[in-house]
Amino acid sequence: QSALTQPPSASGSPGQSVTISCTGTSSDVGGYNYVSWYQQHPGKAPQIIIYEVSKRPSGVPERFSGSKSGNTASLTVSGLQAEDEADYYCSSFSGSNNRYVFGTGTKVTVL
Amino acid sequence: QVQLVESGGGVVQPGRSLRLSCAASGFTFSSYGMHWVRQAPGKGLEWVAVLSYDGSDKYYADSVKGRFTISRDNSRNTLYLQMSSLRPEDTAVYFCAKDVEYALNYWGQGTLVTVSS
């Protein structure tokens, strides 16, 4: 089971938007609406920011949004803030073997 | 509030075994599936295993299948990961996480496992 593909890095100035892609296959990202996104600050545990492709848990700011097209999911962070500087990981359920797979991770830098 | 506290990590020699625990509180533990996820030093997240709410269904990553066993004791609100035949590449911080709608909505702070001679 191969990791989902994410760009290693992304950046933007405060107030700008950044979009991170997450590419899988028809067995995971493309086959199910069970894509989630996690934010991880250095030395901390990951925290969920998106589930089921585009749903936000309570307490997550509206500037985090998710979408999916075919085998690629995307996370957009609008109105970048300094505290958004972190690593971001996508994840998907893989129905071919009832497993889960994470993305390779993207480091977001706020310039 | 939901709390997940991992324990049991440490330094272990290659080929030996170790059992991790995850103590849960703040939610009805017996109603939710639970995951183990690991992160090697400086690397990304790797999903390890998932266990259904009642322990009847369990699935593993290929990298640990046959060596690791996930289990739970709903009377003690505790999740376990029994790790055997440990390898240096199993060195990582191990997180337990609560499942909801095929996502991991709460995570513990992790416990470090170092496999080294």
Side-chain angles (χ1 to χ4, degrees):
Chain A
Q1 100 221 41
S2 299
L4 307 176
T5 300
Q6 297 180 234
S9 62
S11 63
S13 299
Q16 290 187 330
S17 295
V18 64
T19 296
I20 303 166
S21 62
C22 168
T23 301
T25 69
S26 58
S27 295
D28 38 62
V29 174
Y32 303 88
N33 287 326
Y34 293 134
V35 176
S36 49
W37 289 89
Y38 304 88
Q39 178 191 64
Q40 186 181 33
H41 288 106
K44 300 293 188 182
Q47 289 188 297
I48 190 170
I49 51 175
I50 295 288
Y51 67 102
E52 290 184 7
V53 176
S54 60
K55 297 179 180 179
R56 274 188 314 276
S58 61
V60 174
E62 290 183 10
R63 51 203 184 75
F64 291 94
S65 62
S67 63
K68 190 184 85 167
S69 178
N71 296 338
T72 298
S74 297
L75 172 73
T76 297
V77 186
S78 305
L80 269 174
Q81 298 184 7
E83 59 262 36
D84 298 333
E85 186 160 293
D87 293 324
Y88 291 81
Y89 295 90
C90 61
S91 179
S92 176
F93 173 72
S94 177
S96 61
N97 47 23
N98 288 307
R99 296 172 182 172
Y100 291 72
V101 59
F102 279 96
T104 50
T106 298
K107 182 175 180 57
V108 169
T109 301
V110 180
L111 301 171
Chain B
Q1 70 282 19
V2 172
Q3 271 201 307
L4 298 169
V5 180
E6 301 92 340
S7 61
V11 180
V12 60
Q13 292 180 328
R16 302 298 291 267
S17 299
L18 199 64
R19 189 178 81 159
L20 305 183
S21 299
C22 169
S25 60
F27 66 102
T28 304
F29 180 71
S30 59
S31 296
Y32 293 91
M34 297 292 295
H35 299 258
W36 285 101
V37 176
R38 68 184 181 183
Q39 186 170 36
K43 303 296 185 182
L45 300 174
E46 180 188 13
W47 178 80
V48 173
V50 64
L51 182 63
S52 61
Y53 70 99
D54 60 357
S56 61
D57 295 311
K58 54 188 74 174
Y59 302 96
Y60 300 92
D62 286 339
S63 56
V64 307
K65 194 171 185 179
R67 300 187 300 122
F68 290 12
T69 301
I70 188 173
S71 63
R72 66 193 297 159
D73 185 340
N74 285 344
S75 67
R76 295 176 182 270
N77 289 347
T78 303
L79 177 73
Y80 302 101
L81 184 68
Q82 179 69 48
M83 305 184 293
S84 61
S85 302
L86 283 162
R87 306 166 180 167
E89 54 264 37
D90 295 319
T91 294
V93 174
Y94 285 74
F95 299 98
C96 64
K98 173 179 168 287
D99 182 278
V100 68
E101 305 296 341
Y102 297 89
L104 288 67
N105 69 334
Y106 286 97
W107 298 61
Q109 287 305 303
T111 186
L112 175 62
V113 173
T114 302
V115 183
S116 173
S117 54

